[in-house]
Amino acid sequence: MKRRIPMLIVSITGILMTIQYFIPHPWSEAMYNNALDWLVIIGIFAMPLGIYSMIRIQVLKIQRRSRGWGYAVISLISLFAMLGLGYTQECLESGTFFMKIFEFIYIPIQATMFSLLAFYIASAAYRAFRARNILATIVLAGAIIVMLGRIPIGEAISPFLPDLAAWIMTVPNMAAQRAIMIGLGLGAASTAMKIVLGIERSYMGME
Amino acid sequence: MSPIELTIWQTIGAFFTIAIFSFLYKDNPLYKIAESIVVGVAAGYFTVLLFWTSLKPKFWDQIITHRDGVLVIDKWWYIIPGILGLLMYFHFSSKFAWISRYPLCLYIGIGSGIAIPLSLQTFVLRQVEATMLPVSLYPLEAQSINNLLIVLMVVAALIYFFFSMEHKGVVGKTATFGIWVIMVGFGASFGYTVMARVSLLIGRIQFLLVDWLHWVK
């Protein structure tokens, strides 16, 4: 009841969803679409768990007057302000106060945070790419050629550099990405098979 | 949006941009305020977005619809995932926590079942199909050489990941070539990422100098 039924659910639904892929029939397609909707609905019901967890952590910080508890107050105010402003579906239309907060607060902060990585990535690159062995040297050479090939100074250094950068992107880079993707696909399919067949049970807290 | 309103909103955007950039000096209260705001705003925004764009149309509107101004129950079976979703909250009960496994297992079962053919189709078959491009020897063109090189490099990189054979002799040399290909790929991806980040940085500087301060036309 506590373990066998959940595992049966995994196996039956897993086999059904695998088989339906090979049956080009309206019923099969309807089942697939319904299953996708069900996944979305179940997933969304998990969302309040995340919000509850976030609120709980912030409230605990405030109650205990932990270091930086004032920032927890700011987070909670921002959260409830957004939830309050989003009480109608119209809030998602362009030009509403809700969307302006998203456009002029969320997007600038997010974009600036990502752009900060431009600074930190340089120091990370220095530590990672110091040509200590042949492999590190290859990574370093690949990165330098691609970077130089995409800026005007690259063409000034050598007119072949942009073409070489383009060749690296379309031949060795694509080949490496393809090999990784093929490995990823085989790994994902075999892990899914193990789950459906009941070999992999770690999602239930079992070895 | 009126010009004054736009200026006010851009000033707010500029304030938060500078607040985040202040982290380059050191961790400071201004940065932490911006960070706390983005956490709350992001959680609130995506909750509202998911509610109105997924939960309402995929759940509520499927079950209850308006017909001639009267509320009627339409696809009743959509109540089932709702109930299953609610069962997840048994996770908080120490006695009945096992009930929360049912919806979780349905989720994992459907997800795994869909993933088996889909990942093989998308990540394996389509990639193999895109790799096996025509090679013309007469006349020998640059594109043909590239197509042949791609096949050789993909095979070499895959051999590097193949651990059922000892990497010795021909297999070892092919695997070494494979890791070189992978390293060139990593380097190229890294360079590409750096360029993307720098272009984001330029975008933020442009926002400050062009859109907000109008210092640069």
Side-chain angles (χ1 to χ4, degrees):
Chain A
M1 185 77 175
K2 289 181 183 176
R3 289 193 170 177
R4 280 192 184 168
I5 292 180
M7 280 180 63
L8 265 177
I9 292 172
V10 171
S11 297
I12 292 167
T13 52
I15 291 166
L16 267 177
M17 293 314 294
T18 308
I19 292 171
Q20 69 75 32
Y21 184 84
F22 301 98
I23 306 171
H25 190 276
W27 284 11
S28 167
E29 277 175 33
M31 188 176 88
Y32 175 75
N33 290 329
N34 274 327
L36 282 186
D37 283 352
W38 282 35
L39 280 192
V40 172
I41 295 164
I42 294 172
I44 290 172
F45 271 90
M47 189 178 61
L49 287 174
I51 297 294
Y52 165 77
S53 168
M54 181 190 159
I55 294 172
R56 197 166 146 262
I57 289 166
Q58 308 292 354
V59 168
L60 277 175
K61 262 190 192 173
I62 298 165
Q63 277 177 344
R64 290 175 188 164
R65 293 283 189 276
S66 315
R67 197 164 161 238
W69 64 272
Y71 302 117
V73 175
I74 293 171
S75 284
L76 284 181
I77 291 171
S78 318
L79 170 68
F80 286 115
M82 288 304 275
L83 292 178
L85 287 168
Y87 72 100
T88 60
Q89 197 162 3
E90 284 73 39
C91 73
L92 293 172
E93 286 169 13
S94 172
T96 58
F97 194 69
F98 182 83
M99 286 311 289
K100 278 175 190 164
I101 291 180
F102 178 72
E103 198 181 330
F104 291 99
I105 295 179
Y106 177 79
I107 290 178
I109 294 177
Q110 198 75 344
T112 315
M113 275 183 170
F114 279 114
S115 74
L116 274 189
L117 285 177
F119 294 95
Y120 295 108
I121 219 165
S123 68
Y126 171 73
R127 272 172 281 161
F129 291 168
R130 271 182 298 176
R132 281 174 294 195
N133 54 43
I134 182 95
L135 294 179
T137 313
I138 292 171
V139 177
L140 177 71
I144 286 174
I145 292 167
V146 166
M147 283 190 279
L148 283 177
R150 284 171 177 271
I151 51 173
I153 202 171
E155 204 169 357
I157 294 167
S158 165
F160 299 109
L161 217 49
D163 292 337
L164 185 60
W167 182 81
I168 286 178
M169 288 305 286
T170 51
V171 180
N173 177 55
M174 191 191 281
Q177 302 297 339
R178 287 243 169 91
I180 290 168
M181 262 197 266
I182 292 169
L184 190 87
L186 291 171
S190 59
T191 307
M193 265 181 215
K194 278 166 77 182
I195 290 171
V196 170
L197 297 173
I199 299 165
E200 170 70 49
R201 302 173 201 177
S202 55
Y203 60 91
M204 288 219 300
M206 296 158 80
E207 286 299 315
Chain B
M1 202 188 301
S2 68
I4 296 170
E5 200 188 346
L6 181 67
T7 308
I8 293 168
W9 279 110
Q10 281 180 336
T11 308
I12 293 168
F15 167 77
F16 285 112
T17 302
I18 295 164
I20 297 295
F21 274 139
S22 70
F23 187 76
L24 287 171
Y25 171 60
K26 67 174 185 180
D27 201 2
N28 62 79
L30 204 61
Y31 173 81
K32 280 189 173 163
I33 288 171
E35 193 187 35
S36 309
I37 287 174
V38 82
V39 168
V41 167
Y45 174 78
F46 288 108
T47 305
V48 169
L49 188 76
L50 275 175
F51 182 83
W52 291 117
T53 59
S54 292
L55 189 66
K56 188 175 175 284
K58 285 195 186 293
F59 178 62
W60 188 252
D61 292 350
Q62 298 290 333
I63 301 167
I64 294 168
T65 51
H66 284 269
R67 248 179 237 154
D68 305 324
V70 183
L71 285 176
V72 285
I73 291 179
D74 192 11
K75 295 174 182 170
W76 61 267
W77 59 90
Y78 270 77
I79 295 171
I80 301 166
I83 294 168
L84 287 166
L86 289 172
L87 289 183
M88 275 200 286
Y89 293 92
F90 275 102
H91 186 74
F92 292 111
S93 157
S94 52
K95 199 175 174 187
F96 299 105
W98 58 272
I99 294 175
S100 68
R101 279 183 191 160
Y102 289 173
L104 189 73
C105 285
L106 188 84
Y107 197 96
I108 291 170
I110 293 174
S112 303
I114 291 172
I116 295 169
L118 211 64
S119 55
L120 286 175
Q121 170 79 17
T122 317
F123 292 111
V124 182
L125 298 177
R126 288 229 176 111
Q127 298 305 320
V128 171
E129 187 188 356
T131 306
M132 303 285 187
L133 294 172
V135 176
S136 148
L137 294 175
Y138 303 103
L140 189 64
E141 291 166 351
Q143 191 56 49
S144 289
I145 298 170
N146 283 343
N147 290 349
L148 190 66
L149 277 174
I150 289 174
V151 174
L152 293 175
M153 286 175 178
V154 169
V155 171
L158 282 173
I159 285 176
Y160 174 74
F161 289 122
F162 189 68
F163 298 109
S164 297
M165 282 164 83
E166 207 174 346
H167 288 185
K168 272 183 178 176
V170 180
V171 177
K173 278 176 184 155
T174 316
T176 307
F177 177 58
I179 186 68
W180 287 7
V181 171
I182 292 167
M183 287 301 146
V184 172
F186 285 163
S189 300
F190 183 83
Y192 200 72
T193 310
V194 171
M195 298 306 280
R197 300 293 181 216
V198 171
S199 110
L200 260 178
L201 180 66
I202 292 167
R204 295 320 301 155
I205 302 291
Q206 268 182 342
F207 168 73
L208 290 176
L209 299 183
V210 181
D211 299 341
W212 184 50
L213 293 172
H214 303 290
W215 282 0
V216 183
K217 296 278 175 196

